Amino acid sequence: MISANLAAVFYLVSGILFILALRGLSSPDTSRQGNYFGIAGMIIAIVVTFLSIGNFSTSLVYVIVFLVIGGAIGAFIAFKIPMTAMPELVAGFHSLVGLAAVFVAIAAFLNPYAFNLGNVGDIKLASLIEMSIGAAVGAITFSGSIIAFLKLRGIMSGAPITFSGQHILNLILGIGIFVLIFYLCKIQSANIFWTVIAISFLVGVLLIIPIGGADMPVVISMLNSYSGWAAAGIGFTLENTALIITGALVGSSGAILSYIMCKAMNRSFVSVILGGFGADNSADEKKQKSDQKPVKSGNAEDAAFLMKNASSVIIVPGYGMAVAQAQHALREMVDKLKKNDIKVTYAIHPVAGRMPGHMNVLLAEANVPYDEVFELEDINNDFANSDVAFVIGANDVTNPVAKTDPKSPIFGMPVLDVEKCKSVLFVKRSLSPGYAGIDNELFYKDNTLMLFADAKKMTEDIVKNLD
Amino acid sequence: MEIDPFIFRLSIFILSIFIGYYVVWSVTPSLHTPLMSVTNAISSVIIVGAIIAALAGTSESIFNTSSIFGFVAIILAAINIFGGFLVTQRMLQMYKKKKDKKK
């Protein structure tokens, strides 16, 4: 048994360790150490909680059993999950944080005495407000993340689901939650508390269904942020510093990532929330233009020839590369090129994957050293001085229309200046447009050679032809 | 007049938002995915609340309505803690520099 003051100091220490965990991520060199700080912070928080309650009865045995069960499931998932599925995994984890927040709030509401918040029917006013907000945000995070998970997993179509009056309905429900919380404080009725949670679950679903597949990177970051605010709400209820600090960190982290993603797509946050953008691939085929402009297409041999005679090559990978599982073949190709003293770098657009930084992880998994991988703003000037750009699985992020045509839906979006390269190799299965549903001018440029094939097969063929 | 402890917690909260703001901006974009998985793991420190709820049962009734919610929340948070930290570790292990891999 340790005193409440000592416990609070330890919670502060664990909060600081969490800050250091995030700080470590400023460079890959320090990141692993950062992760250990995070783990240490978590262990301290859990052990201190045990000690401060000082209840070493049978209950504790159960707590440890449940902890081990959950831990085993978590560890199993962590080792099994393929890196392409990271977005779904993160969405799934967010839903768990949300649900855990709801459950802790419910437990606190049912047994406020255990949390030192007063008695049933007579909970301290501030605590009641905090736990309702925590529960509401937690519930929104939970159901929103479930929808995001289903969309990313492909169980639910990525196409936006919209109906008239949707935004008004959301607004009414949102106001409803606040009104109910107000009444909850007045009469402390359990039924109102349940209703708040139920409406919040509904709001979470309604918030995410109108958002299209292309905006998923924003959605995941946004839910990341929500899960943080939910944790902070519970932290206030429990008067726990570690939880308040963490909630604030995670909340602002998610908000910043959402901002970065919005900027990378030149979309305002509000328009993402309102949704309706980015139908799924289903619309691809019919949108093909009837008046086909001339396109130069080539085969693996041509591509290999072009690259062998280049002195510098920039690879532009997109999510399509990951879907085709071409990253390992790509790596092989790059190794061969490097053996011929050709300089090879990778150019990554912020929304190249399905979540922030996703493409970097996929390349790292294929053993691509991270110092050959560059972000958009760091490499964009190099295209003009390079011989070949190898675009594989990317599309909209290379479309010059974003710079030239103010009428285009992606106008103003920062894009990679691929067309400035001496020649462009574009691996793609067909001429169909990408997520934004618009034609890519790059296909019809004189210096573009289209390689129509599956990304993995084409890369493997090029590798053979490089010998 | 005494200051309400709530104000102190609010101060910690707001200062932490600022710390979060500056720390997260300094995170390199190539590590944004591990950032999300590690924030996921640390936000599961909510397990602290779950443990308090779970241990609140009496010796006669370890499982009452409140503590059951606590126990379930422990499982959910534990999945996140272990899953989040381990998957982050797995990802970070893959980030290598050029010179590391040259044999």
Side-chain angles (χ1 to χ4, degrees):
Chain A
M1 188 90 183
I2 56 175
S3 78
N5 284 334
L6 190 57
V9 171
F10 277 114
Y11 284 134
L12 178 65
V13 170
S14 96
I16 290 168
L17 286 167
F18 290 151
I19 295 174
L20 293 175
L22 300 193
R23 179 81 189 100
L25 290 171
S26 58
S27 133
D29 295 328
T30 54
S31 60
R32 274 158 286 218
Q33 190 195 17
N35 202 34
Y36 292 127
F37 281 135
I39 295 170
M42 188 61 73
I43 294 172
I44 292 177
I46 293 175
V47 171
V48 166
T49 308
F50 284 143
L51 293 177
S52 65
I53 299 173
N55 172 351
F56 296 108
S57 64
T58 342
S59 290
L60 186 69
V61 179
Y62 283 104
V63 167
I64 290 173
V65 169
F66 283 96
L67 197 66
V68 170
I69 294 174
I73 300 172
F76 180 77
I77 298 171
F79 285 117
K80 284 282 167 203
I81 193 90
M83 285 300 147
T84 38
M86 275 314 291
E88 292 104 289
L89 179 76
V90 169
F93 278 170
H94 287 154
S95 73
L96 297 183
V97 178
L99 196 58
V102 174
F103 283 176
V104 172
I106 293 176
F109 184 79
L110 294 176
N111 188 2
Y113 181 74
F115 292 86
N116 209 3
L117 306 174
N119 294 303
V120 180
D122 183 28
I123 301 173
K124 280 190 276 178
L125 186 64
S127 311
L128 198 57
I129 298 173
E130 289 153 5
M131 74 173 78
S132 329
I133 293 176
V137 180
I140 292 173
T141 311
F142 170 71
S143 54
S145 301
I146 293 286
I147 300 294
F149 176 83
L150 294 176
K151 284 195 171 191
L152 287 163
R153 198 79 245 197
I155 299 170
M156 207 173 131
S157 156
I161 301 170
T162 46
F163 52 87
S164 61
Q166 193 164 21
H167 306 313
I168 298 177
L169 178 66
N170 286 347
L171 191 67
I172 292 172
L173 290 175
I175 296 170
I177 291 176
F178 280 102
V179 173
L180 283 171
I181 292 179
F182 180 75
Y183 277 105
L184 176 66
C185 296
K186 281 193 136 170
I187 57 175
Q188 304 237 355
S189 141
N191 284 335
I192 296 185
F193 187 68
W194 301 125
T195 318
V196 167
I197 294 176
I199 295 180
S200 305
F201 278 130
L202 185 63
V203 170
V205 174
L206 289 173
L207 268 182
I208 307 301
I209 53 168
I211 303 182
D215 283 335
M216 273 305 152
V218 183
V219 171
I220 303 182
S221 323
M222 194 174 82
L223 290 166
N224 186 241
S225 183
Y226 288 178
S227 70
W229 304 131
I234 302 297
F236 275 101
T237 319
L238 305 181
E239 309 183 346
N240 183 305
T241 329
L243 207 39
I244 294 176
I245 295 177
T246 316
L249 290 178
V250 178
S252 52
S253 161
I256 291 173
L257 291 175
S258 316
Y259 170 79
I260 295 176
M261 289 298 111
C262 281
K263 224 179 115 201
M265 296 193 288
N266 192 38
R267 310 254 291 119
S268 77
F269 192 67
V270 177
S271 64
V272 171
I273 301 288
L274 295 181
F277 180 79
D280 223 335
N281 303 348
S282 49
D284 276 0
E285 253 47 62
K286 59 178 178 238
K287 275 193 178 159
Q288 272 199 43
K289 288 205 171 156
S290 45
D291 53 327
Q292 288 285 6
K293 284 177 258 175
V295 168
K296 273 198 286 184
S297 82
N299 56 25
E301 220 175 304
D302 305 330
F305 178 79
L306 261 173
M307 283 197 272
K308 241 192 278 184
N309 291 303
S311 60
S312 58
V313 173
I314 299 180
I315 315 259
V316 181
Y319 189 68
M321 176 205 76
V323 174
Q325 287 292 321
Q327 56 269 49
H328 296 278
L330 184 70
R331 168 77 208 294
E332 229 179 293
M333 183 186 96
V334 171
D335 283 348
K336 284 235 163 95
L337 291 176
K338 277 198 230 156
K339 246 181 241 158
N340 291 330
D341 281 328
I342 300 166
K343 186 178 163 243
V344 187
T345 44
Y346 297 79
I348 308 239
H349 192 276
V351 289
R354 277 288 178 280
M355 70 185 287
H358 192 197
M359 193 51 61
N360 301 80
V361 175
L362 295 170
L363 289 178
E365 191 193 16
N367 283 323
V368 172
Y370 64 82
D371 41 7
E372 287 174 13
V373 181
F374 296 93
E375 304 299 318
L376 175 106
E377 57 268 35
D378 298 328
I379 198 165
N380 229 0
N381 291 329
D382 295 358
F383 282 107
N385 310 321
S386 295
D387 298 318
V388 177
F390 186 75
V391 183
I392 177 166
N395 187 357
D396 292 334
V397 298
T398 63
N399 198 341
V401 155
K403 290 176 287 193
T404 53
D405 181 7
K407 280 189 296 254
S408 165
I410 60 166
F411 181 72
M413 174 171 122
V415 287
L416 293 156
D417 297 333
V418 176
E419 77 281 0
K420 288 187 182 153
C421 257
K422 287 203 189 77
S423 42
V424 178
L425 295 169
F426 209 114
V427 185
K428 208 168 179 313
R429 259 172 307 194
S430 70
L431 278 179
S432 61
Y435 258 126
I438 46 169
D439 214 18
N440 193 341
E441 257 182 27
L442 195 58
F443 300 163
Y444 314 107
K445 294 254 179 199
D446 283 341
N447 59 345
T448 305
L449 189 67
M450 297 298 294
L451 306 168
F452 292 113
D454 171 71
K456 187 177 180 190
K457 180 136 192 322
M458 176 54 73
T459 315
E460 284 169 348
D461 286 349
I462 296 176
V463 172
K464 277 184 217 135
N465 278 294
L466 277 175
D467 290 323
Chain B
M1 211 182 107
E2 234 181 294
I3 299 170
D4 191 322
F6 173 78
I7 301 298
F8 286 115
R9 286 192 284 277
L10 190 67
S11 317
I12 294 174
F13 179 63
I14 292 178
L15 289 174
S16 303
I17 292 179
F18 276 91
I19 294 175
Y21 180 86
Y22 289 108
V23 169
V24 171
W25 271 118
S26 74
V27 171
T28 157
S30 66
L31 291 174
H32 276 162
T33 297
L35 170 68
M36 294 192 91
S37 60
V38 85
T39 50
N40 223 311
I42 64 173
S43 54
S44 304
V45 72
I46 202 158
I47 198 169
V48 165
I51 294 172
I52 298 175
L55 287 180
T58 54
S59 47
E60 300 98 64
S61 63
I62 293 170
F63 295 102
N64 56 41
T65 343
S66 163
S67 74
I68 288 173
F69 276 110
F71 280 115
V72 179
I74 287 179
I75 295 190
L76 299 177
I79 295 177
N80 245 319
I81 293 172
F82 281 75
F85 280 125
L86 288 172
V87 88
T88 309
Q89 192 68 18
R90 205 181 127 201
M91 276 190 274
L92 295 177
Q93 226 73 46
M94 299 185 312
Y95 281 81
K96 290 187 194 89
K97 257 194 188 159
K98 211 180 309 181
K99 50 182 176 285
D100 291 355
K101 60 156 191 152
K102 273 192 183 157
K103 287 156 206 162

